[in-house]
Amino acid sequence: MREAAFRTAPLTSSFSSTDALNRPTSESDALEDIIENCRLTAVFQPIIDFRAIAYVAFEGLIRGPVGTLLHMPQPLFAAAERHGVRRRLEQACRETVFRAFAERQMPGKLFINASPDCLDDDLFFNGSTVDLLHQIGISPSRVVIELTENQRIKDYPDVQRALSHYRELGYQIAIDDLGEGFANLRMWAEIRPDYVKIDRHFIDGIAGDKLKHHFVKAMQNLAESCSAKIVAEGIETEADCLAVRDLGIAFGQGFLIARPSAEPTTLPSEKVVSTIRQRSIVVFPTGFSPAGNVTVRSLIRPVEPASPQMDNDEIYRRFDADAELMSMPVVTNGTPIGLINRHDLVDRMARPYRRELFGRKSCTNFMDPMPLCIDEESTVQEAGLIISRSARRHIYDGFIVTCNGEYRGIGSAHDLMGLITEMQIQAARYANPLTQLPGSVPINEHIERLLERKLGFHACYFDIDHFKPFNDVFGYRKGDDIIVILAQIVTEVSNPLVDFCGHIGGDDFMILFQSEDWERRCQDALRLFDERINETIASGQVGEPSVGRLTDNGYFAENRRGQMVFYSLPTLSIGAVHIVPDTFESHREISAAAAEAKKNAKKSNGSTLFVERRKAP
């Protein structure tokens, strides 16, 4: 999280006014006093395991003396940076957190934040910290070093070597605030963390935000392919908590779970346990799936390739001239033979004497000789699967697009993820274009989720009676108006957090109720439909039939044989089936049962609810 052991240490000071902060000597003295006299207090915020409903870790945070301007971490570390004592401050924070964690005999793992440029801190790197941990009874295997991205990593090879050293000592690694900062995806690919924390921006409001839902789902899928565990930060509402849980994310952290405390409890509160144990599943903001006919050709970025004869200086100049160019393909006789990563080349050439030694040599010295190549005819889903199963470096390096082995251009994992997300949201065949409600595919997906979780619910099939003659007599535009009225009603009477509304097609709708008062909601739907149909007729919005006349209860119009007949106004029939766990095996059986209940409802006159009370076969 934003505040953490390494960057959240608050400094105590003997001054409390803004004017005092503007005096460098006073600020410097205050920092020195805090560091030398250990005037720091550790607080801890738990991380919960959604499956076990138990705390598995705590993030160590720091507070300074209460009542001072440097109580909170942001002004504290800004002051330490100004006076060149940030590393010493981080050392003091680290020791304070470790000792407090041990004194309280806290269970689970301890997350501590570290800036990348402090990984080579002598006290941290030479084993002194490990000695301290052994002295106070904490195994390094319980410590997770959480890399913050408040600074750009300039030398990934050095960071990788440092992290390899820490892993050998038993530490685990996490990256913080995924989705925010300079280059999270590259950090992920290069560092290969054990834990990935999703920035709170993407968790706040995820229960009702389609884009956030798909973005986090994509990160969850990527984490699974990389064997990393996801921690969702910033959980502050019950709806967001349940949305994160139902996405399958392993761990969560935030004010809803628990606020940071100097004396934290080691067990979740009854309220948190009750929330997570809720049997109902949340309705995802969208259940859309991507269309299957979009190919990698749509992702091609035309880039003039390099040849093996080009030297590294020439490649360096091309990267320098185009700040958007992340990778350079190397091609000979039309066939790609390698891929040069921008950051890798720049990092290597920036080292002492490397430019002189390698500048005039072939660019093949610094290329990846085994680049990922994907044919332009592959679908984006196939490309996503290929990338998830390939080497982790391809997540950042991107891939070469070919046609029958011939070079066509390059593609990026970032563009691929964006396209898949857009397709999932906008695919028209997964949402009815008239009502924008989910279609049959999302309905079936939600039924399968309910069956998988062995949850009881009510499947209610809504159908408009006498709709076809109304549509024929008054025209499809007026028929569409009636369908929209019903769409508005099914949305109004359902609880958007737990009840799934879908538009099967035409004048048929489905609500999958988890609400206990589902029957009252259905009765409300019947009443509202009759009221609004009558209001529509009375207001003259429908108008008179071209042949015939309108009455209070219906209308006279010609049938297909030219005979004048009476038609009733549209009414609503609802067929309801109680789905008991383990009585139905698939969405097909449930759809058939609901359709049969709807047929029974249509046998009665007027707007009717029929509840199938017979036991399912």
Side-chain angles (χ1 to χ4, degrees):
M1 289 184 66
R2 285 271 159 194
E3 51 175 12
F6 284 86
R7 42 175 182 159
T8 51
L11 311 170
T12 93
S13 62
S14 57
F15 54 92
S16 58
S17 69
T18 304
D19 291 337
L21 271 176
N22 292 330
R23 297 198 300 271
T25 54
S26 298
E27 186 174 77
S28 177
D29 291 344
L31 288 167
E32 193 66 28
D33 177 48
I34 289 172
I35 295 171
E36 289 297 323
N37 298 312
C38 295
R39 302 185 63 190
L40 300 167
T41 300
V43 294
F44 300 92
Q45 186 173 33
I47 297 172
I48 198 168
D49 184 331
F50 286 113
R51 296 175 179 84
I53 317 183
Y55 294 157
V56 293
F58 292 82
E59 182 174 4
L61 311 171
I62 287 291
R63 296 290 183 267
V66 176
T68 68
L69 291 178
L70 298 179
H71 172 65
M72 296 304 291
Q74 192 169 8
L76 169 65
F77 271 84
E81 188 73 40
R82 285 193 294 272
H83 294 282
V85 294
R86 181 167 57 84
R87 181 166 292 200
R88 289 179 58 208
L89 179 61
E90 289 196 2
Q91 291 171 354
C93 294
R94 189 161 60 237
E95 182 171 347
T96 299
V97 170
F98 285 148
R99 290 189 181 280
F101 191 77
E103 289 171 3
R104 290 163 177 75
Q105 298 183 342
M106 296 176 63
K109 294 184 179 293
L110 171 62
F111 279 65
I112 55 172
N113 284 291
S115 300
D117 66 345
C118 287
L119 292 176
D120 62 350
D121 183 339
D122 290 341
L123 293 180
F124 204 11
F125 198 76
N126 66 12
S128 297
T129 299
V130 173
D131 291 340
L132 170 64
L133 291 175
H134 287 313
Q135 175 188 338
I136 61 180
I138 299 177
S139 169
S141 63
R142 295 179 61 195
V143 177
V144 181
I145 300 173
E146 186 174 325
L147 284 182
T148 63
E149 211 192 0
N150 53 356
Q151 298 168 337
R152 186 187 296 273
I153 296 179
K154 298 179 181 178
D155 194 330
Y156 273 100
D158 283 351
V159 170
Q160 289 171 332
R161 281 191 292 272
L163 294 179
S164 177
H165 169 73
Y166 291 129
R167 283 186 166 116
E168 290 174 0
L169 295 175
Y171 297 106
Q172 289 185 296
I173 309 301
I175 59 173
D176 192 19
D177 294 341
L178 181 68
E180 190 261 1
F182 295 120
N184 286 124
L185 283 178
R186 188 181 182 192
M187 282 185 70
W188 193 343
E190 298 279 1
I191 292 172
R192 305 179 186 181
D194 303 286
Y195 297 88
V196 176
K197 285 193 165 185
I198 300 177
D199 183 63
R200 61 178 296 118
H201 168 78
F202 297 98
I203 302 302
D204 182 23
I206 188 175
D209 190 306
K210 296 178 182 179
L211 186 58
K212 288 181 179 180
H213 170 85
H214 283 284
F215 193 89
V216 172
K217 186 176 182 179
M219 287 190 285
Q220 167 70 356
N221 292 339
L222 192 58
E224 289 178 353
S225 69
C226 300
S227 299
K229 299 179 180 68
I230 290 285
V231 181
E233 293 186 300
I235 298 175
E236 297 188 2
T237 68
E238 184 176 312
D240 290 342
C241 179
L242 294 175
V244 168
R245 179 202 68 178
D246 288 352
L247 274 171
I249 291 175
F251 306 122
Q253 182 178 4
F255 285 175
L256 180 75
I257 308 301
R259 291 176 177 269
S261 171
E263 299 291 340
T265 61
T266 57
L267 297 174
S269 68
E270 291 184 7
K271 181 179 179 181
V272 170
V273 172
S274 175
T275 296
I276 298 176
R277 279 183 175 169
Q278 284 186 27
R279 291 283 294 164
S280 61
I281 61 173
V282 298
V283 176
F284 289 151
T286 176
F288 307 138
S289 299
N293 58 353
V294 179
T295 66
V296 171
R297 188 183 295 109
S298 62
L299 296 170
I300 292 178
R301 290 186 177 185
V303 173
E304 183 66 28
S307 68
Q309 290 73 38
M310 286 187 178
D311 59 35
N312 290 311
D313 277 338
E314 174 62 21
I315 303 299
Y316 189 96
R317 285 192 291 271
R318 289 188 61 182
F319 277 130
D320 188 54
D322 186 356
E324 299 297 320
L325 184 60
M326 293 293 108
S327 299
M328 175 74 67
V330 182
V331 176
T332 180
N333 297 324
T335 303
I337 61 171
L339 192 65
I340 302 173
N341 177 279
R342 175 193 188 93
H343 296 288
D344 185 55
L345 177 74
V346 172
D347 287 346
R348 292 189 184 191
M349 295 287 279
R351 297 178 188 178
Y353 310 112
R354 289 298 181 92
R355 192 77 178 267
E356 292 79 0
L357 289 172
F358 295 99
R360 296 299 182 87
K361 292 187 177 181
S362 169
C363 63
T364 57
N365 284 276
F366 290 160
M367 75 177 186
D368 176 3
M370 298 183 66
L372 180 62
C373 295
I374 302 178
D375 191 87
E376 65 179 0
E377 294 298 329
S378 301
T379 66
V380 294
Q381 293 90 345
E382 292 169 341
L385 187 60
I386 291 171
I387 290 177
S388 70
R389 293 177 176 176
S390 64
R392 292 179 176 86
R393 67 181 184 277
H394 299 311
I395 296 173
Y396 183 76
D397 289 352
F399 52 92
I400 295 176
V401 182
T402 60
C403 178
N404 298 322
E406 296 286 324
Y407 171 75
R408 286 292 181 267
I410 62 174
S412 76
H414 181 273
D415 289 345
L416 177 64
M417 183 183 295
L419 178 59
I420 290 176
T421 299
E422 180 181 352
M423 290 164 56
Q424 289 176 321
I425 295 175
Q426 298 181 352
R429 69 189 182 96
Y430 284 79
N432 187 280
L434 175 62
T435 64
Q436 295 302 304
L437 289 176
S440 58
V441 173
I443 293 171
N444 294 338
E445 289 175 349
H446 192 78
I447 291 175
E448 294 298 338
R449 286 181 61 211
L450 290 163
L451 293 176
E452 183 180 353
R453 290 285 295 273
K454 297 186 181 298
L455 298 177
F457 62 99
H458 287 82
C460 296
Y461 197 129
F462 291 64
D463 183 31
I464 300 176
D465 306 317
H466 319 300
F467 177 75
K468 189 177 186 311
F470 183 91
N471 200 56
D472 291 341
V473 171
F474 293 98
Y476 72 91
R477 290 182 181 272
K478 300 302 180 182
D480 284 351
D481 290 343
I482 301 300
I483 291 175
V484 170
I485 286 174
L486 181 53
Q488 293 169 344
I489 290 172
V490 297
T491 303
E492 288 176 28
V493 301
S494 60
N495 180 344
L497 296 179
V498 294
D499 301 331
F500 186 97
C501 298
H503 188 168
I504 299 171
D507 60 321
D508 294 352
F509 291 77
M510 177 77 79
I511 300 182
L512 305 172
F513 280 112
Q514 292 182 86
S515 296
E516 293 183 0
D517 59 344
W518 65 274
E519 193 164 356
R520 178 190 63 78
R521 294 174 184 269
C522 287
Q523 294 293 349
D524 287 345
L526 297 174
R527 175 180 54 79
L528 289 172
F529 186 83
D530 288 343
E531 289 177 357
R532 293 181 188 178
I533 290 297
N534 290 331
E535 290 171 1
T536 300
I537 298 297
S539 65
Q541 294 180 32
V542 170
E544 293 287 341
S546 57
V547 177
R549 61 187 178 84
L550 191 64
T551 70
D552 291 339
N553 299 320
Y555 52 92
F556 288 92
E558 288 185 354
N559 62 14
R560 294 181 179 179
R561 298 178 181 178
Q563 300 168 329
M564 192 67 67
V565 296
F566 178 80
Y567 295 104
S568 297
L569 291 176
T571 55
L572 180 63
S573 290
I574 305 175
V577 179
H578 182 201
I579 309 302
V580 178
D582 296 325
T583 56
F584 291 88
E585 294 185 355
S586 71
H587 64 81
R588 295 180 181 85
E589 294 180 0
I590 292 173
S591 297
E596 185 64 28
K598 181 258 300 184
K599 289 180 182 177
N600 287 320
K602 294 178 78 69
K603 294 177 182 179
S604 301
N605 295 325
S607 293
T608 305
L609 168 64
F610 176 86
V611 182
E612 178 58 78
R613 303 192 185 278
R614 294 172 296 179
K615 290 185 178 180

